[in-house]
Amino acid sequence: MALKVYIDGKLFPQDEAKVSVFDHGLLYGDGVFEGIRSYNGNVFKLQEHIDRLYESAKAIALQIPINKEEMQEALYNTLKANNLKDSYIRLVVTRGVGKLGLEHTKCKIPSIIIITDFIELYPSRLYEVGIDAVTVRTIRNHFEALNPRIKCLNYMNNILAKIESLNAGASEAIMLNAEGYVAECTGENIFIVKHGELLTPPVNAGILKGITRDTVIELARKGGINVMEELFTRYELYTADECFLTGTAAEIVPVVKIDGRVVGNGKCGRMTQSLLAKYRELTRSPETAGVATPVTVKT
Ligand code: PXG
């Protein structure tokens, strides 16, 4: 069955879900988005994702034409129309249709797009054997140029980094900031473990304030683990006991090699394993999985 896609208040079969070539989202990457997951009908951290979407929009002076409650309702209706319980949800707000030229005021009405799709899970082996990452030359956008806290439609900075890592034969790129401190990966935040403590770059390192990152910090602290949000360099990466990445799609992925240096014992570390188990429990148990979809959906 064809998926139905929400565009500006209406649902379209996926083949007919189209936007104008004059939309500034396409022409300039002018817009914002969120990537969200639902687990067994529960949308995980929905309020946090919606809040971040509206803050990203505010930061680029884009006024979303519907309020947060209406956005939530539109999202649920789209999930319901597609009968999806475990899904990947993409909320997109573009600047809308305008004339050629950068002036955002030429675009009168922002467009809202909601895609709900089957989630393509990462191979389970990846969570056991881990991934190989490299640090790349492409630095993360400087916060004074384009603050990485804004989850905007222009991902070229991240794509260039990803290309570098793939060319180097590694599956993920670790991006540094303009000062040479570790920032984040192309679509995930980064953590290291050293002497039983967790270390992750602070938001002012110039990163996206990941919702999975925040969840992992909370889970770790609840479990009595000391978590530090501090700047660190490649040296700390190379000498870490464990390293893992966090993101909505990937959840928690172990990194076992960085720039050819084996991390820890070269396998998924114990703290990574335990946090992944806790994260899975949190997302998959109905009491903690967040907002339940107020609709009946098929398994
Ligand atoms: N950093 C960057 C640059 C990201 O794009 C994260 C960190 C992790 O944030 P969350 O809030 O997910 O823990 C991201 C997230 C997509 C897609 O469709 C992208 C992300 C998440 C889900 C889907 O490309 N990026």
Side-chain angles (χ1 to χ4, degrees), residues 63-99:
Q63 190 165 5
I64 301 177
I66 59 175
N67 67 29
K68 290 183 183 180
E69 288 71 36
E70 290 164 334
M71 183 66 84
Q72 193 157 319
E73 203 183 311
L75 190 154
Y76 282 133
N77 288 338
T78 313
L79 273 181
K80 186 183 171 191
N82 286 296
N83 261 332
L84 288 167
K85 290 192 90 174
D86 289 291
S87 68
Y88 172 65
I89 303 157
R90 192 175 238 264
L91 282 184
V92 182
V93 185
T94 73
R95 187 75 69 182
V97 173
K99 289 214 157 68

PDB file of all heavy atoms in Angstrom, residues 63-99:
ATOM      1  N   GLN A  63       7.997  31.564  10.743  1.00  0.00           N
ATOM      2  CA  GLN A  63       6.843  31.340  11.612  1.00  0.00           C
ATOM      3  C   GLN A  63       5.998  30.184  11.099  1.00  0.00           C
ATOM      4  O   GLN A  63       5.393  30.275  10.019  1.00  0.00           O
ATOM      5  CB  GLN A  63       6.015  32.602  11.757  1.00  0.00           C
ATOM      6  CG  GLN A  63       5.001  32.359  12.845  1.00  0.00           C
ATOM      7  CD  GLN A  63       4.331  33.611  13.368  1.00  0.00           C
ATOM      8  OE1 GLN A  63       4.538  34.711  12.873  1.00  0.00           O
ATOM      9  NE2 GLN A  63       3.500  33.409  14.363  1.00  0.00           N
ATOM     10  N   ILE A  64       5.975  29.109  11.864  1.00  0.00           N
ATOM     11  CA  ILE A  64       5.206  27.930  11.458  1.00  0.00           C
ATOM     12  C   ILE A  64       3.718  28.283  11.541  1.00  0.00           C
ATOM     13  O   ILE A  64       3.254  28.768  12.570  1.00  0.00           O
ATOM     14  CB  ILE A  64       5.560  26.714  12.350  1.00  0.00           C
ATOM     15  CG1 ILE A  64       7.076  26.406  12.229  1.00  0.00           C
ATOM     16  CG2 ILE A  64       4.722  25.488  11.985  1.00  0.00           C
ATOM     17  CD1 ILE A  64       7.584  25.272  13.099  1.00  0.00           C
ATOM     18  N   PRO A  65       2.959  28.073  10.449  1.00  0.00           N
ATOM     19  CA  PRO A  65       1.576  28.577  10.411  1.00  0.00           C
ATOM     20  C   PRO A  65       0.583  27.836  11.297  1.00  0.00           C
ATOM     21  O   PRO A  65      -0.558  28.278  11.404  1.00  0.00           O
ATOM     22  CB  PRO A  65       1.204  28.457   8.927  1.00  0.00           C
ATOM     23  CG  PRO A  65       2.165  27.496   8.337  1.00  0.00           C
ATOM     24  CD  PRO A  65       3.397  27.519   9.167  1.00  0.00           C
ATOM     25  N   ILE A  66       0.983  26.722  11.925  1.00  0.00           N
ATOM     26  CA  ILE A  66       0.060  26.062  12.862  1.00  0.00           C
ATOM     27  C   ILE A  66       0.755  25.977  14.223  1.00  0.00           C
ATOM     28  O   ILE A  66       1.991  26.063  14.294  1.00  0.00           O
ATOM     29  CB  ILE A  66      -0.368  24.646  12.380  1.00  0.00           C
ATOM     30  CG1 ILE A  66       0.843  23.711  12.194  1.00  0.00           C
ATOM     31  CG2 ILE A  66      -1.170  24.728  11.089  1.00  0.00           C
ATOM     32  CD1 ILE A  66       0.475  22.271  11.842  1.00  0.00           C
ATOM     33  N   ASN A  67      -0.047  25.819  15.293  1.00  0.00           N
ATOM     34  CA  ASN A  67       0.590  25.751  16.614  1.00  0.00           C
ATOM     35  C   ASN A  67       1.045  24.324  16.934  1.00  0.00           C
ATOM     36  O   ASN A  67       0.792  23.384  16.178  1.00  0.00           O
ATOM     37  CB  ASN A  67      -0.309  26.365  17.695  1.00  0.00           C
ATOM     38  CG  ASN A  67      -1.573  25.554  17.935  1.00  0.00           C
ATOM     39  OD1 ASN A  67      -1.597  24.333  17.751  1.00  0.00           O
ATOM     40  ND2 ASN A  67      -2.639  26.229  18.341  1.00  0.00           N
ATOM     41  N   LYS A  68       1.710  24.191  18.093  1.00  0.00           N
ATOM     42  CA  LYS A  68       2.314  22.897  18.442  1.00  0.00           C
ATOM     43  C   LYS A  68       1.272  21.787  18.588  1.00  0.00           C
ATOM     44  O   LYS A  68       1.521  20.645  18.211  1.00  0.00           O
ATOM     45  CB  LYS A  68       3.111  23.032  19.741  1.00  0.00           C
ATOM     46  CG  LYS A  68       4.384  23.853  19.592  1.00  0.00           C
ATOM     47  CD  LYS A  68       5.158  23.872  20.896  1.00  0.00           C
ATOM     48  CE  LYS A  68       6.392  24.749  20.777  1.00  0.00           C
ATOM     49  NZ  LYS A  68       7.169  24.784  22.030  1.00  0.00           N
ATOM     50  N   GLU A  69       0.107  22.136  19.146  1.00  0.00           N
ATOM     51  CA  GLU A  69      -0.950  21.126  19.323  1.00  0.00           C
ATOM     52  C   GLU A  69      -1.455  20.662  17.959  1.00  0.00           C
ATOM     53  O   GLU A  69      -1.689  19.474  17.734  1.00  0.00           O
ATOM     54  CB  GLU A  69      -2.133  21.688  20.134  1.00  0.00           C
ATOM     55  CG  GLU A  69      -1.851  21.888  21.612  1.00  0.00           C
ATOM     56  CD  GLU A  69      -0.901  23.049  21.893  1.00  0.00           C
ATOM     57  OE1 GLU A  69      -0.973  24.075  21.173  1.00  0.00           O
ATOM     58  OE2 GLU A  69      -0.063  22.931  22.813  1.00  0.00           O
ATOM     59  N   GLU A  70      -1.624  21.617  17.052  1.00  0.00           N
ATOM     60  CA  GLU A  70      -2.089  21.253  15.702  1.00  0.00           C
ATOM     61  C   GLU A  70      -1.039  20.409  14.971  1.00  0.00           C
ATOM     62  O   GLU A  70      -1.371  19.490  14.219  1.00  0.00           O
ATOM     63  CB  GLU A  70      -2.392  22.525  14.898  1.00  0.00           C
ATOM     64  CG  GLU A  70      -3.632  23.242  15.417  1.00  0.00           C
ATOM     65  CD  GLU A  70      -3.757  24.688  14.928  1.00  0.00           C
ATOM     66  OE1 GLU A  70      -2.737  25.330  14.599  1.00  0.00           O
ATOM     67  OE2 GLU A  70      -4.900  25.178  14.891  1.00  0.00           O
ATOM     68  N   MET A  71       0.222  20.708  15.222  1.00  0.00           N
ATOM     69  CA  MET A  71       1.311  19.932  14.610  1.00  0.00           C
ATOM     70  C   MET A  71       1.267  18.486  15.107  1.00  0.00           C
ATOM     71  O   MET A  71       1.391  17.541  14.336  1.00  0.00           O
ATOM     72  CB  MET A  71       2.650  20.587  14.957  1.00  0.00           C
ATOM     73  CG  MET A  71       3.855  19.935  14.328  1.00  0.00           C
ATOM     74  SD  MET A  71       3.884  20.088  12.533  1.00  0.00           S
ATOM     75  CE  MET A  71       4.613  21.711  12.352  1.00  0.00           C
ATOM     76  N   GLN A  72       1.054  18.361  16.416  1.00  0.00           N
ATOM     77  CA  GLN A  72       0.981  17.037  17.028  1.00  0.00           C
ATOM     78  C   GLN A  72      -0.187  16.238  16.456  1.00  0.00           C
ATOM     79  O   GLN A  72      -0.058  15.067  16.120  1.00  0.00           O
ATOM     80  CB  GLN A  72       0.797  17.232  18.536  1.00  0.00           C
ATOM     81  CG  GLN A  72       0.998  15.991  19.347  1.00  0.00           C
ATOM     82  CD  GLN A  72       1.353  16.342  20.792  1.00  0.00           C
ATOM     83  OE1 GLN A  72       2.128  17.268  21.044  1.00  0.00           O
ATOM     84  NE2 GLN A  72       0.785  15.633  21.730  1.00  0.00           N
ATOM     85  N   GLU A  73      -1.318  16.922  16.298  1.00  0.00           N
ATOM     86  CA  GLU A  73      -2.505  16.268  15.754  1.00  0.00           C
ATOM     87  C   GLU A  73      -2.269  15.837  14.302  1.00  0.00           C
ATOM     88  O   GLU A  73      -2.618  14.727  13.909  1.00  0.00           O
ATOM     89  CB  GLU A  73      -3.666  17.259  15.825  1.00  0.00           C
ATOM     90  CG  GLU A  73      -5.012  16.610  15.827  1.00  0.00           C
ATOM     91  CD  GLU A  73      -6.114  17.669  15.822  1.00  0.00           C
ATOM     92  OE1 GLU A  73      -6.028  18.595  16.641  1.00  0.00           O
ATOM     93  OE2 GLU A  73      -7.009  17.559  14.958  1.00  0.00           O
ATOM     94  N   ALA A  74      -1.648  16.710  13.539  1.00  0.00           N
ATOM     95  CA  ALA A  74      -1.352  16.394  12.125  1.00  0.00           C
ATOM     96  C   ALA A  74      -0.446  15.171  12.048  1.00  0.00           C
ATOM     97  O   ALA A  74      -0.623  14.282  11.207  1.00  0.00           O
ATOM     98  CB  ALA A  74      -0.695  17.597  11.456  1.00  0.00           C
ATOM     99  N   LEU A  75       0.518  15.111  12.979  1.00  0.00           N
ATOM    100  CA  LEU A  75       1.444  13.978  12.995  1.00  0.00           C
ATOM    101  C   LEU A  75       0.708  12.670  13.315  1.00  0.00           C
ATOM    102  O   LEU A  75       0.880  11.656  12.638  1.00  0.00           O
ATOM    103  CB  LEU A  75       2.526  14.270  14.043  1.00  0.00           C
ATOM    104  CG  LEU A  75       3.735  13.356  14.101  1.00  0.00           C
ATOM    105  CD1 LEU A  75       4.917  14.125  14.689  1.00  0.00           C
ATOM    106  CD2 LEU A  75       3.495  12.128  14.939  1.00  0.00           C
ATOM    107  N   TYR A  76      -0.151  12.718  14.331  1.00  0.00           N
ATOM    108  CA  TYR A  76      -0.906  11.519  14.694  1.00  0.00           C
ATOM    109  C   TYR A  76      -1.833  11.082  13.570  1.00  0.00           C
ATOM    110  O   TYR A  76      -1.972   9.897  13.297  1.00  0.00           O
ATOM    111  CB  TYR A  76      -1.725  11.778  15.961  1.00  0.00           C
ATOM    112  CG  TYR A  76      -0.912  11.727  17.224  1.00  0.00           C
ATOM    113  CD1 TYR A  76      -1.020  12.708  18.199  1.00  0.00           C
ATOM    114  CD2 TYR A  76      -0.042  10.662  17.454  1.00  0.00           C
ATOM    115  CE1 TYR A  76      -0.273  12.644  19.363  1.00  0.00           C
ATOM    116  CE2 TYR A  76       0.714  10.598  18.611  1.00  0.00           C
ATOM    117  CZ  TYR A  76       0.585  11.592  19.568  1.00  0.00           C
ATOM    118  OH  TYR A  76       1.317  11.527  20.707  1.00  0.00           O
ATOM    119  N   ASN A  77      -2.476  12.037  12.937  1.00  0.00           N
ATOM    120  CA  ASN A  77      -3.377  11.690  11.841  1.00  0.00           C
ATOM    121  C   ASN A  77      -2.625  11.041  10.687  1.00  0.00           C
ATOM    122  O   ASN A  77      -3.139  10.129  10.041  1.00  0.00           O
ATOM    123  CB  ASN A  77      -4.127  12.934  11.352  1.00  0.00           C
ATOM    124  CG  ASN A  77      -5.172  13.368  12.374  1.00  0.00           C
ATOM    125  OD1 ASN A  77      -5.605  12.558  13.205  1.00  0.00           O
ATOM    126  ND2 ASN A  77      -5.561  14.635  12.337  1.00  0.00           N
ATOM    127  N   THR A  78      -1.412  11.492  10.443  1.00  0.00           N
ATOM    128  CA  THR A  78      -0.607  10.906   9.368  1.00  0.00           C
ATOM    129  C   THR A  78      -0.199   9.480   9.737  1.00  0.00           C
ATOM    130  O   THR A  78      -0.265   8.569   8.910  1.00  0.00           O
ATOM    131  CB  THR A  78       0.625  11.784   9.078  1.00  0.00           C
ATOM    132  OG1 THR A  78       0.217  13.137   8.980  1.00  0.00           O
ATOM    133  CG2 THR A  78       1.324  11.362   7.801  1.00  0.00           C
ATOM    134  N   LEU A  79       0.192   9.289  10.999  1.00  0.00           N
ATOM    135  CA  LEU A  79       0.550   7.935  11.463  1.00  0.00           C
ATOM    136  C   LEU A  79      -0.646   7.003  11.334  1.00  0.00           C
ATOM    137  O   LEU A  79      -0.526   5.868  10.881  1.00  0.00           O
ATOM    138  CB  LEU A  79       0.956   7.973  12.938  1.00  0.00           C
ATOM    139  CG  LEU A  79       2.406   8.263  13.296  1.00  0.00           C
ATOM    140  CD1 LEU A  79       2.562   8.215  14.808  1.00  0.00           C
ATOM    141  CD2 LEU A  79       3.357   7.263  12.650  1.00  0.00           C
ATOM    142  N   LYS A  80      -1.805   7.522  11.721  1.00  0.00           N
ATOM    143  CA  LYS A  80      -3.034   6.724  11.702  1.00  0.00           C
ATOM    144  C   LYS A  80      -3.388   6.346  10.263  1.00  0.00           C
ATOM    145  O   LYS A  80      -3.702   5.188   9.971  1.00  0.00           O
ATOM    146  CB  LYS A  80      -4.166   7.534  12.328  1.00  0.00           C
ATOM    147  CG  LYS A  80      -5.442   6.760  12.493  1.00  0.00           C
ATOM    148  CD  LYS A  80      -6.522   7.677  13.048  1.00  0.00           C
ATOM    149  CE  LYS A  80      -7.868   6.994  13.021  1.00  0.00           C
ATOM    150  NZ  LYS A  80      -8.952   7.947  13.297  1.00  0.00           N
ATOM    151  N   ALA A  81      -3.300   7.308   9.359  1.00  0.00           N
ATOM    152  CA  ALA A  81      -3.646   7.063   7.954  1.00  0.00           C
ATOM    153  C   ALA A  81      -2.736   6.009   7.340  1.00  0.00           C
ATOM    154  O   ALA A  81      -3.100   5.334   6.382  1.00  0.00           O
ATOM    155  CB  ALA A  81      -3.551   8.360   7.174  1.00  0.00           C
ATOM    156  N   ASN A  82      -1.531   5.870   7.905  1.00  0.00           N
ATOM    157  CA  ASN A  82      -0.585   4.905   7.347  1.00  0.00           C
ATOM    158  C   ASN A  82      -0.528   3.609   8.148  1.00  0.00           C
ATOM    159  O   ASN A  82       0.249   2.708   7.802  1.00  0.00           O
ATOM    160  CB  ASN A  82       0.805   5.534   7.272  1.00  0.00           C
ATOM    161  CG  ASN A  82       0.902   6.551   6.147  1.00  0.00           C
ATOM    162  OD1 ASN A  82       0.781   6.195   4.984  1.00  0.00           O
ATOM    163  ND2 ASN A  82       1.063   7.820   6.497  1.00  0.00           N
ATOM    164  N   ASN A  83      -1.327   3.527   9.208  1.00  0.00           N
ATOM    165  CA  ASN A  83      -1.356   2.325  10.040  1.00  0.00           C
ATOM    166  C   ASN A  83       0.019   1.889  10.534  1.00  0.00           C
ATOM    167  O   ASN A  83       0.352   0.712  10.502  1.00  0.00           O
ATOM    168  CB  ASN A  83      -1.969   1.168   9.254  1.00  0.00           C
ATOM    169  CG  ASN A  83      -3.420   0.991   9.612  1.00  0.00           C
ATOM    170  OD1 ASN A  83      -3.825   1.312  10.727  1.00  0.00           O
ATOM    171  ND2 ASN A  83      -4.199   0.502   8.667  1.00  0.00           N
ATOM    172  N   LEU A  84       0.809   2.875  10.955  1.00  0.00           N
ATOM    173  CA  LEU A  84       2.173   2.534  11.339  1.00  0.00           C
ATOM    174  C   LEU A  84       2.332   2.534  12.853  1.00  0.00           C
ATOM    175  O   LEU A  84       1.873   3.450  13.527  1.00  0.00           O
ATOM    176  CB  LEU A  84       3.150   3.548  10.744  1.00  0.00           C
ATOM    177  CG  LEU A  84       3.381   3.458   9.244  1.00  0.00           C
ATOM    178  CD1 LEU A  84       4.105   4.714   8.757  1.00  0.00           C
ATOM    179  CD2 LEU A  84       4.199   2.225   8.901  1.00  0.00           C
ATOM    180  N   LYS A  85       2.995   1.503  13.372  1.00  0.00           N
ATOM    181  CA  LYS A  85       3.262   1.455  14.811  1.00  0.00           C
ATOM    182  C   LYS A  85       4.745   1.727  15.094  1.00  0.00           C
ATOM    183  O   LYS A  85       5.086   2.466  15.989  1.00  0.00           O
ATOM    184  CB  LYS A  85       2.868   0.089  15.381  1.00  0.00           C
ATOM    185  CG  LYS A  85       1.366  -0.109  15.393  1.00  0.00           C
ATOM    186  CD  LYS A  85       0.963  -1.311  16.207  1.00  0.00           C
ATOM    187  CE  LYS A  85       0.711  -0.925  17.643  1.00  0.00           C
ATOM    188  NZ  LYS A  85       0.191  -2.030  18.444  1.00  0.00           N
ATOM    189  N   ASP A  86       5.604   1.089  14.319  1.00  0.00           N
ATOM    190  CA  ASP A  86       7.037   1.358  14.454  1.00  0.00           C
ATOM    191  C   ASP A  86       7.446   2.123  13.215  1.00  0.00           C
ATOM    192  O   ASP A  86       7.469   1.569  12.126  1.00  0.00           O
ATOM    193  CB  ASP A  86       7.821   0.052  14.552  1.00  0.00           C
ATOM    194  CG  ASP A  86       7.572  -0.621  15.883  1.00  0.00           C
ATOM    195  OD1 ASP A  86       8.036  -0.079  16.901  1.00  0.00           O
ATOM    196  OD2 ASP A  86       6.876  -1.658  15.896  1.00  0.00           O
ATOM    197  N   SER A  87       7.711   3.391  13.412  1.00  0.00           N
ATOM    198  CA  SER A  87       7.945   4.172  12.209  1.00  0.00           C
ATOM    199  C   SER A  87       9.007   5.233  12.397  1.00  0.00           C
ATOM    200  O   SER A  87       9.423   5.561  13.507  1.00  0.00           O
ATOM    201  CB  SER A  87       6.650   4.846  11.772  1.00  0.00           C
ATOM    202  OG  SER A  87       6.298   5.821  12.721  1.00  0.00           O
ATOM    203  N   TYR A  88       9.421   5.727  11.254  1.00  0.00           N
ATOM    204  CA  TYR A  88      10.319   6.854  11.200  1.00  0.00           C
ATOM    205  C   TYR A  88       9.478   8.038  10.715  1.00  0.00           C
ATOM    206  O   TYR A  88       8.787   7.935   9.695  1.00  0.00           O
ATOM    207  CB  TYR A  88      11.467   6.552  10.229  1.00  0.00           C
ATOM    208  CG  TYR A  88      12.312   7.764   9.991  1.00  0.00           C
ATOM    209  CD1 TYR A  88      13.037   8.313  11.037  1.00  0.00           C
ATOM    210  CD2 TYR A  88      12.344   8.391   8.755  1.00  0.00           C
ATOM    211  CE1 TYR A  88      13.785   9.463  10.844  1.00  0.00           C
ATOM    212  CE2 TYR A  88      13.091   9.537   8.557  1.00  0.00           C
ATOM    213  CZ  TYR A  88      13.803  10.070   9.611  1.00  0.00           C
ATOM    214  OH  TYR A  88      14.526  11.213   9.427  1.00  0.00           O
ATOM    215  N   ILE A  89       9.499   9.099  11.471  1.00  0.00           N
ATOM    216  CA  ILE A  89       8.663  10.254  11.143  1.00  0.00           C
ATOM    217  C   ILE A  89       9.550  11.435  10.806  1.00  0.00           C
ATOM    218  O   ILE A  89      10.478  11.757  11.551  1.00  0.00           O
ATOM    219  CB  ILE A  89       7.771  10.630  12.358  1.00  0.00           C
ATOM    220  CG1 ILE A  89       6.913   9.431  12.794  1.00  0.00           C
ATOM    221  CG2 ILE A  89       6.894  11.836  12.036  1.00  0.00           C
ATOM    222  CD1 ILE A  89       6.446   9.517  14.233  1.00  0.00           C
ATOM    223  N   ARG A  90       9.271  12.063   9.692  1.00  0.00           N
ATOM    224  CA  ARG A  90      10.051  13.244   9.330  1.00  0.00           C
ATOM    225  C   ARG A  90       9.119  14.439   9.208  1.00  0.00           C
ATOM    226  O   ARG A  90       8.210  14.453   8.379  1.00  0.00           O
ATOM    227  CB  ARG A  90      10.770  13.004   8.015  1.00  0.00           C
ATOM    228  CG  ARG A  90      11.811  14.041   7.727  1.00  0.00           C
ATOM    229  CD  ARG A  90      12.529  13.617   6.473  1.00  0.00           C
ATOM    230  NE  ARG A  90      13.933  13.472   6.739  1.00  0.00           N
ATOM    231  CZ  ARG A  90      14.823  14.437   6.497  1.00  0.00           C
ATOM    232  NH1 ARG A  90      14.432  15.576   5.988  1.00  0.00           N
ATOM    233  NH2 ARG A  90      16.090  14.248   6.731  1.00  0.00           N
ATOM    234  N   LEU A  91       9.347  15.398  10.088  1.00  0.00           N
ATOM    235  CA  LEU A  91       8.580  16.646  10.047  1.00  0.00           C
ATOM    236  C   LEU A  91       9.446  17.668   9.332  1.00  0.00           C
ATOM    237  O   LEU A  91      10.596  17.872   9.719  1.00  0.00           O
ATOM    238  CB  LEU A  91       8.363  17.172  11.468  1.00  0.00           C
ATOM    239  CG  LEU A  91       7.315  16.572  12.380  1.00  0.00           C
ATOM    240  CD1 LEU A  91       7.259  17.367  13.677  1.00  0.00           C
ATOM    241  CD2 LEU A  91       5.970  16.624  11.704  1.00  0.00           C
ATOM    242  N   VAL A  92       8.903  18.283   8.316  1.00  0.00           N
ATOM    243  CA  VAL A  92       9.670  19.267   7.559  1.00  0.00           C
ATOM    244  C   VAL A  92       8.845  20.549   7.445  1.00  0.00           C
ATOM    245  O   VAL A  92       7.658  20.490   7.150  1.00  0.00           O
ATOM    246  CB  VAL A  92       9.982  18.757   6.122  1.00  0.00           C
ATOM    247  CG1 VAL A  92      10.831  19.762   5.354  1.00  0.00           C
ATOM    248  CG2 VAL A  92      10.669  17.393   6.153  1.00  0.00           C
ATOM    249  N   VAL A  93       9.483  21.669   7.703  1.00  0.00           N
ATOM    250  CA  VAL A  93       8.810  22.951   7.450  1.00  0.00           C
ATOM    251  C   VAL A  93       9.729  23.756   6.540  1.00  0.00           C
ATOM    252  O   VAL A  93      10.869  24.053   6.904  1.00  0.00           O
ATOM    253  CB  VAL A  93       8.518  23.738   8.745  1.00  0.00           C
ATOM    254  CG1 VAL A  93       7.716  25.003   8.427  1.00  0.00           C
ATOM    255  CG2 VAL A  93       7.763  22.878   9.757  1.00  0.00           C
ATOM    256  N   THR A  94       9.236  24.061   5.351  1.00  0.00           N
ATOM    257  CA  THR A  94      10.061  24.825   4.408  1.00  0.00           C
ATOM    258  C   THR A  94       9.614  26.290   4.421  1.00  0.00           C
ATOM    259  O   THR A  94       8.517  26.614   4.886  1.00  0.00           O
ATOM    260  CB  THR A  94       9.917  24.308   2.966  1.00  0.00           C
ATOM    261  OG1 THR A  94       8.626  24.703   2.468  1.00  0.00           O
ATOM    262  CG2 THR A  94      10.040  22.794   2.901  1.00  0.00           C
ATOM    263  N   ARG A  95      10.466  27.149   3.897  1.00  0.00           N
ATOM    264  CA  ARG A  95      10.107  28.578   3.842  1.00  0.00           C
ATOM    265  C   ARG A  95       8.893  28.787   2.936  1.00  0.00           C
ATOM    266  O   ARG A  95       8.181  29.765   3.049  1.00  0.00           O
ATOM    267  CB  ARG A  95      11.302  29.368   3.315  1.00  0.00           C
ATOM    268  CG  ARG A  95      11.118  30.858   3.361  1.00  0.00           C
ATOM    269  CD  ARG A  95      11.251  31.443   4.747  1.00  0.00           C
ATOM    270  NE  ARG A  95      12.605  31.378   5.253  1.00  0.00           N
ATOM    271  CZ  ARG A  95      12.968  31.802   6.461  1.00  0.00           C
ATOM    272  NH1 ARG A  95      12.085  32.333   7.283  1.00  0.00           N
ATOM    273  NH2 ARG A  95      14.211  31.682   6.867  1.00  0.00           N
ATOM    274  N   GLY A  96       8.659  27.856   2.031  1.00  0.00           N
ATOM    275  CA  GLY A  96       7.512  27.961   1.133  1.00  0.00           C
ATOM    276  C   GLY A  96       7.897  28.497  -0.244  1.00  0.00           C
ATOM    277  O   GLY A  96       9.078  28.703  -0.540  1.00  0.00           O
ATOM    278  N   VAL A  97       6.868  28.701  -1.041  1.00  0.00           N
ATOM    279  CA  VAL A  97       7.089  29.141  -2.421  1.00  0.00           C
ATOM    280  C   VAL A  97       7.392  30.632  -2.453  1.00  0.00           C
ATOM    281  O   VAL A  97       6.737  31.428  -1.786  1.00  0.00           O
ATOM    282  CB  VAL A  97       5.829  28.832  -3.266  1.00  0.00           C
ATOM    283  CG1 VAL A  97       5.940  29.436  -4.664  1.00  0.00           C
ATOM    284  CG2 VAL A  97       5.614  27.327  -3.343  1.00  0.00           C
ATOM    285  N   GLY A  98       8.408  30.994  -3.253  1.00  0.00           N
ATOM    286  CA  GLY A  98       8.740  32.411  -3.395  1.00  0.00           C
ATOM    287  C   GLY A  98       9.403  32.646  -4.733  1.00  0.00           C
ATOM    288  O   GLY A  98       9.565  31.720  -5.529  1.00  0.00           O
ATOM    289  N   LYS A  99       9.795  33.887  -4.966  1.00  0.00           N
ATOM    290  CA  LYS A  99      10.528  34.210  -6.194  1.00  0.00           C
ATOM    291  C   LYS A  99      11.963  33.751  -6.023  1.00  0.00           C
ATOM    292  O   LYS A  99      12.418  33.506  -4.912  1.00  0.00           O
ATOM    293  CB  LYS A  99      10.510  35.721  -6.380  1.00  0.00           C
ATOM    294  CG  LYS A  99       9.149  36.266  -6.769  1.00  0.00           C
ATOM    295  CD  LYS A  99       9.343  37.464  -7.701  1.00  0.00           C
ATOM    296  CE  LYS A  99       8.130  37.724  -8.563  1.00  0.00           C
ATOM    297  NZ  LYS A  99       6.984  38.184  -7.795  1.00  0.00           N
TER     298      LYS A  99
END
